[in-house]
Amino acid sequence: LQKATEEFVGQRLDSVSTLLQKIYSKVIPHPTFRRVRLTPSFSYNRGRLNPYVVDPDGDFDEHDPFAVMSSSQINVVALSIFLALNLGVKNVPLKTLMLDDPLQSLDDINLLGLMDLIRRAREHRQMILSTHDSRLADLLKRKLRPVEPRHTTQVFHFRDWTRNGPVIHASEIEREESPMRLVTA
């Protein structure tokens, strides 16, 4: 039974490994370790997925990301795995991806790369993102503004809490005709 389980998990990981690498390569949080892979392990009747980062040039062996990456880079690896496992499932009853303050522990470079990745992922899933940081919320509104007729971006501000529940202010970001914005000094 354990051997059958290992084979099944290995097959499922093979089916999402290309997607995982595609997602990770959009962000590439580390200059040397530009590939990522998942390896299953089983001990004491428990399964575990172990992430490894790989140097495609072969100068370094594969490594546990916790040993060679910063916390911001590790968070990008974790979010890449989460997105790959979510987007790798084709027939889901609710095509939604929810992230609670996913960008709070990323440095600026990884934050912008991940924002672009989230913008691309919204083609495949409804995105629900939460944050308590107003600056990050403004960045999310700019990066996820609708530019296609089929896109909408709604913002919900939880303003207060009363005995009747939260006081919520809802608004919708207007669609822009042009997907590009020119900025002048």
Side-chain angles (χ1 to χ4, degrees):
L1 184 61
Q2 184 172 346
K3 181 139 176 78
T5 302
E6 289 175 16
E7 288 176 8
F8 176 77
V9 171
Q11 290 170 353
R12 294 300 297 160
L13 286 179
D14 287 344
S15 70
V16 297
S17 65
T18 303
L19 179 60
L20 171 59
Q21 187 54 48
K22 196 179 212 182
I23 289 170
Y24 182 75
S25 67
K26 298 287 185 199
V27 184
I28 304 182
H30 196 280
T32 301
F33 300 108
R34 297 186 315 270
R35 297 189 55 78
V36 65
R37 71 180 188 85
L38 291 173
T39 305
S41 65
F42 298 89
S43 61
Y44 303 106
N45 294 325
R46 294 199 180 257
R48 179 183 170 116
L49 289 179
N50 303 302
Y52 290 96
V53 289
V54 180
D55 172 16
D57 299 329
D59 294 337
F60 297 97
D61 293 334
E62 63 185 28
H63 287 282
D64 179 349
F66 295 99
V68 294
M69 294 182 138
S70 71
S71 62
S72 178
Q73 293 166 329
I74 290 168
N75 286 329
V76 170
V77 171
L79 282 167
S80 297
I81 292 168
F82 177 76
L83 287 171
L85 292 175
N86 183 289
L87 296 172
V89 177
K90 299 294 181 214
N91 299 318
V92 293
L94 185 63
K95 290 190 172 200
T96 301
L97 188 122
M98 293 186 237
L99 298 170
D100 180 26
D101 230 346
L103 312 170
Q104 70 181 346
S105 56
L106 298 177
D107 57 31
D108 291 342
I109 292 173
N110 289 322
L111 181 132
L112 292 174
L114 190 63
M115 290 296 296
D116 288 336
L117 184 61
I118 288 171
R119 188 173 56 211
R120 288 185 187 104
R122 79 173 178 186
E123 293 295 324
H124 307 284
R125 296 286 191 267
Q126 175 188 19
M127 306 296 289
I128 299 175
L129 305 169
S130 69
T131 184
H132 66 279
D133 185 338
S134 61
R135 292 178 303 151
L136 181 56
D138 290 340
L139 178 63
L140 284 166
K141 287 190 280 189
R142 280 194 308 275
K143 288 294 222 173
L144 298 176
R145 70 190 187 282
V147 292
E148 299 283 331
R150 67 184 186 279
H151 290 167
T152 61
T153 301
Q154 296 182 353
V155 178
F156 297 93
H157 290 273
F158 293 82
R159 302 265 187 212
D160 196 7
W161 188 269
T162 67
R163 288 186 180 270
N164 297 327
V167 176
I168 301 169
H169 177 264
S171 62
E172 188 167 318
I173 307 290
E174 289 188 35
R175 186 172 68 84
E176 292 189 14
E177 296 300 320
S178 172
M180 304 274 284
R181 266 192 192 174
L182 297 178
V183 179
T184 59

